[in-house]
Structure formats: structure tokens, C-alpha cells
């Protein structure tokens, strides 16, 4: 099996790929990037928490124009994963309103973004409909 590295550092690969967030010990706010202080309560203590892989589509837009090299159309979305909002694309389904609907159940899925000269795969995540 090819060596794989996560495309973003809050994606954890392995048998059960999932996202991790930094959760503020003071107020519970969650951030996917590294923070020195909480944007809500200015607390400085964080712990790492696993984010649920199943959720619900909260908002989306079908993107038909993008930078050169980006395949269109694709579905940009915000998904609620057990109370944590995550931005990601809806994947593994046709990018049209017949297949992508507000409130639909989705699940985290990974896909290979690209492979370098040594065969190492960069892996990103998206959300696929749960049928
Ligand atoms: Zn806080």
C-alpha cells in the first residue's frame, strides 16, 4: 500500500479516518487551526478532540467556475458533525441539486489529491451522502 500523508493537518488517516480539533478548555469552542488563545474567551488551554465522522449538510453551493486546474463543477459545503461545523466538499455523488440537498446525512470520506515522485499519496477529506 502506498504511503499516505494528510493534506491538512487536522485530518487523521488510518483504519478510521477522522478529523481532530483543538478544543478550548475554558469554553469548549473548537478550532481546526493552531491557536495561541481562544477567540471566544481568550483562554489559552486547549485539548485535542476527535470529531464525529457522521453529520448533516448545513449549507452548500455548487461551484461551476474556479481557478485553472480545479475541476468543476464541485460542491462546496458546511457540514455539522455532532455540533462542530466543518467546511469541505461533497464528494462521491453527482454535483447537482437532485443529489445534494440541505439536511442530508453525510459521512467523512477521503480521496487522493495527488502523488509525488516517490509514490507518496496526499489524502484530503470530503463528505459523501449516507444512503
Ligand atoms: Zn474559549
Amino acid at each position: 500500500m502506498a504511503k499516505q500523508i494528510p493534506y491538512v493537518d487536522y485530518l487523521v488517516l488510518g483504519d478510521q479516518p477522522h478529523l481532530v480539533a483543538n478544543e478550548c478548555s475554558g469554553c469548549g469552542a473548537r478550532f481546526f487551526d493552531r491557536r495561541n488563545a481562544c477567540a471566544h474567551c481568550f483562554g489559552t488551554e486547549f485539548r485535542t478532540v476527535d470529531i464525529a465522522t457522521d453529520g448533516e449538510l448545513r449549507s452548500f453551493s455548487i461551484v461551476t467556475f474556479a481557478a485553472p486546474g480545479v475541476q468543476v463543477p464541485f460542491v462546496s459545503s458546511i457540514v455539522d458533525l455532532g455540533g462542530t461545523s466543518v467546511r469541505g466538499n461533497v464528494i462521491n455523488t453527482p454535483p447537482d441539486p437532485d443529489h445534494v440537498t440541505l439536511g442530508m446525512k453525510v459521512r467523512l470520506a477521503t480521496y487522493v489529491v495527488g502523488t509525488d515522485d516517490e509514490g507518496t499519496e496526499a489524502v484530503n477529506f470530503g463528505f459523501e451522502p449516507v444512503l
Side-chain angles (χ1 to χ4, degrees), residues 106-117:
V106 294
R107 179 176 295 149
L108 186 115
T110 59
Y111 63 96
V112 174
V113 182
T115 308
D116 74 7
D117 293 341

Side-chain angles (χ1 to χ4, degrees), residues 60-79:
F60 72 93
S61 60
I62 297 171
V63 179
T64 51
F65 293 97
V70 176
Q71 204 174 10
V72 290
F74 66 90
V75 181
S76 169
S77 74
I78 295 173
V79 169

Side-chain angles (χ1 to χ4, degrees), residues 24 26-29 38 40-43:
C24 173
C27 72
C38 174
H40 293 269
C41 73
F42 303 107

Side-chain angles (χ1 to χ4, degrees), residues 94-107:
D96 61 54
D98 290 338
H99 295 88
V100 180
T101 54
L102 281 183
M104 77 174 183
K105 303 288 180 206
V106 294
R107 179 176 295 149

